[in-house]
Amino acid sequence: MSTTGTSSFVVVANRLPVDRVTAADGTTTWRRSPGGLVTAMAPVMRAYDGAWVGWTGSPDDAPEPFSTDDMDLVAVPLSAEEIALYYEGFSNATLWPLYHDVIVQPEYHREWWDAYRAVNQRFARAAAEVAAENAVVFIQDYQLQLVPQLLRELRPDLKIGFFLHIPFPPTELFAQLPWRRQILEGLLGADLVGFQRAGAASNFEALAETFTTASLQGEALVLEDGHEVLARAFPISIQVEEVAKLAEDPEVQQRAATIREEVGAPVHILLGVDRLDYTKGIGHRLKAFGELLAEGAITPEEAVLVQVATPSRERVEAYQTLRDEVELQVGRINGDYGRIGHPAVHYLHSSYDRSELVALLLAADVMVVTPLRDGMNLVAKEYVSARADLRGALILSEFAGAADELGDGAFLVNPHDIDGLKRTMLAAMRIHPDESEQRMKLLRDHVTSHDISRWATEILTALRAT
Ligand code: ADP
Ligand code: F6P
């Protein structure tokens, strides 16, 4: 057993909840890291008072452990080469597309895999050094799937949980992976492996039985050495209160009103908020909106689309291609239907603070969430949390994990079906206020009673009980 640390609760994630940002003059500041993992896990971290082990987002960056925003952070350094091979390569050009239905073809490179193993080893050692004896260590997401096994070897005293924030692929797709056995064995080092959807947990169980020596006995997968692993779905959520409070703030409400004016006070504001990622179906959304304008079903005076696209993984080729495609589409639509000072699509390639984001949610009549595949999609839950006024409509892809929970109140769509998406956009824009109120009530009943604190209690109780 390696030396022990002092934290009785440790979160291990590829990124710290804050990213180091270096200005032109060399000064650095910390900014909230992108993505749903941080939205979900930061409040858990604050509530359980532990340490968060992760990367700062910059190469060769290894500050001493520090605290920010009520969280104790421990940095794991990555070299520029490791960022290219482990993060941009194996994590985001092999695993990400493979786990998201091969929307983009995954690439399999042995040197990427070698870097993935080496970096996972480093994260496991860092977690082992921070964790107190018998601590709970909660490992996050696809970048760190080998850490459970590596950590268990170093520290058999620990309770090890793992949560996958993204989908887990069907068996035929996962079977493509040249290192499928190693990944499965990595995950099987945990006591509990959590997924967003029940189907993902079943996929994992079937794959573990096919490609490893584990066998399903009752509820648990049992390894040859007797170690038992529970695989179950725990649909993740958000801190509803945080969004609700911002939505109640008169300044945020005023900002929402100003946004409406700024986009030309149309009858309908449609809104998309996504990392600029090919899984999010931004192109499908733009195509449907553009066709509605082309056919005259809506006019640019009547309806505008605000698309916030957070810069993401900008050095990965597929993301560069996507950006070009999206910006071409936006340019075409605005060229054809916009007027001076009145574009039909307001495209914002930028990150925003939480109050601006909530102001956008409040300004939107129709929230358009159309991923081709998404583990959960927390933006959908944020929209619902902001709408205490019971107004607005949520269009939600069947292929987002959130559709399992929000299917009753949302307008569910298959984003591949452009005609269906167009019909749904029109229906959501023309919804009667009574129906929209009924739907929003259903959505809010679910989201407010299933927030992140309930998720954390459920998954951590299940982990402790293993
Ligand atoms: P993913 O984890 O794939 O990025 P989610 O929808 O689950 O997708 O989570 C995205 C999170 O990032 C949400 O909390 C959302 O509010 C936040 N977010 C998305 N775009 C922006 C942006 N431009 N500025 C600030 N936060 C953003
Ligand atoms: O699960 C969503 C997720 O991939 C997280 O793991 C990740 O932190 C976030 O989105 C943002 O992606 P990245 O860290 O690659 O910028």
Side-chain angles (χ1 to χ4, degrees), residues 230-280:
L230 200 62
R232 260 183 54 194
F234 296 89
I236 205 164
S237 191
I238 57 163
Q239 193 181 25
V240 175
E241 192 57 26
E242 181 240 359
V243 178
K245 268 211 179 108
L246 282 170
E248 275 170 18
D249 182 339
E251 272 183 38
V252 174
Q253 293 181 355
Q254 180 52 50
R255 176 65 193 138
T258 307
I259 290 172
R260 289 200 75 95
E261 292 303 315
E262 285 175 351
V263 300
V267 185
H268 310 289
I269 296 181
L270 288 81
L271 173 68
V273 176
D274 313 82
R275 274 183 310 99
L276 187 45
D277 194 299
Y278 51 79
T279 58
K280 301 290 183 182

Side-chain angles (χ1 to χ4, degrees), residues 79-410:
S79 69
E81 193 187 19
E82 285 167 343
I83 295 171
L85 303 179
Y86 145 80
Y87 169 70
E88 289 157 356
F90 200 77
S91 297
N92 288 314
T94 303
L95 294 174
W96 181 269
L98 180 67
Y99 283 30
H100 286 88
D101 284 0
V102 189
I103 298 166
V104 158
Q105 191 57 39
E107 291 181 45
Y108 303 116
H109 298 297
R110 285 162 284 185
E111 57 188 344
W112 291 2
W113 163 248
D114 291 341
Y116 184 81
R117 265 197 336 206
V119 171
N120 272 246
Q121 187 68 257
R122 187 173 314 142
F123 272 86
R125 276 198 297 268
E129 279 168 22
V130 169
E133 204 168 344
N134 301 319
V136 169
V137 179
F138 196 11
I139 301 155
Q140 310 294 312
D141 232 355
Y142 62 101
Q143 302 94 338
L144 301 179
Q145 292 172 102
L146 304 180
V147 174
Q149 182 188 30
L150 295 168
L151 184 58
R152 186 166 163 253
E153 280 164 14
L154 291 170
R155 291 287 305 275
D157 59 303
L158 301 173
K159 271 280 180 217
I160 302 177
F162 180 94
F163 186 75
L164 187 71
H165 292 251
I166 69 173
F168 192 75
T171 51
E172 317 79 66
L173 288 183
F174 187 85
Q176 285 186 13
L177 191 63
W179 308 279
R180 58 199 184 190
R181 180 182 53 78
Q182 292 92 320
I183 295 276
L184 293 165
E185 287 175 354
L187 292 169
L188 289 168
D191 298 292
L192 173 75
V193 183
F195 297 91
Q196 301 278 25
R197 304 179 99 159
S202 318
N203 290 348
F204 174 70
E205 286 173 345
L207 281 159
E209 285 207 290
T210 309
F211 294 115
T212 77
T213 54
S215 64
L216 194 59
Q217 296 178 23
E219 286 219 307
L221 285 157
V222 182
L223 275 58
E224 277 177 329
D225 65 3
H227 175 62
E228 293 188 10
V229 189
L230 200 62
R232 260 183 54 194
F234 296 89
I236 205 164
S237 191
I238 57 163
Q239 193 181 25
V240 175
E241 192 57 26
E242 181 240 359
V243 178
K245 268 211 179 108
L246 282 170
E248 275 170 18
D249 182 339
E251 272 183 38
V252 174
Q253 293 181 355
Q254 180 52 50
R255 176 65 193 138
T258 307
I259 290 172
R260 289 200 75 95
E261 292 303 315
E262 285 175 351
V263 300
V267 185
H268 310 289
I269 296 181
L270 288 81
L271 173 68
V273 176
D274 313 82
R275 274 183 310 99
L276 187 45
D277 194 299
Y278 51 79
T279 58
K280 301 290 183 182
I282 299 171
H284 294 65
R285 194 180 305 168
L286 286 168
K287 189 170 175 54
F289 186 71
E291 286 190 14
L292 288 175
L293 287 168
E295 290 158 8
I298 51 171
T299 66
E301 288 74 29
E302 199 184 346
V304 301
L305 171 63
V306 177
Q307 177 62 56
V308 179
T310 323
S312 186
R313 305 174 191 163
E314 291 186 283
R315 291 174 4 146
V316 179
E317 197 184 334
Y319 288 74
Q320 293 167 353
T321 309
L322 172 78
R323 182 171 177 190
D324 289 345
E325 286 168 2
V326 164
E327 293 182 358
L328 184 71
Q329 265 182 299
V330 171
R332 285 224 171 114
I333 296 174
N334 284 337
D336 287 343
Y337 308 106
R339 288 179 296 113
I340 289 178
H342 294 282
V345 179
H346 294 255
Y347 169 73
L348 306 160
H349 183 242
S350 183
S351 233
Y352 291 96
D353 65 27
R354 299 293 285 167
S355 50
E356 180 72 1
L357 208 73
V358 173
L360 281 161
L361 299 176
L362 281 178
D365 303 291
V366 181
M367 185 78 216
V368 197
V369 181
T370 54
L372 309 179
R373 179 60 72 194
D374 208 334
M376 173 54 62
N377 198 285
L378 295 181
V379 170
K381 293 187 173 181
E382 289 172 341
Y383 182 63
V384 171
S385 306
R387 302 313 304 233
D389 59 1
L390 302 181
R391 296 178 59 189
L394 172 66
I395 295 181
L396 179 61
S397 165
E398 293 165 18
F399 303 115
D404 286 351
E405 298 169 85
L406 306 183
D408 288 344

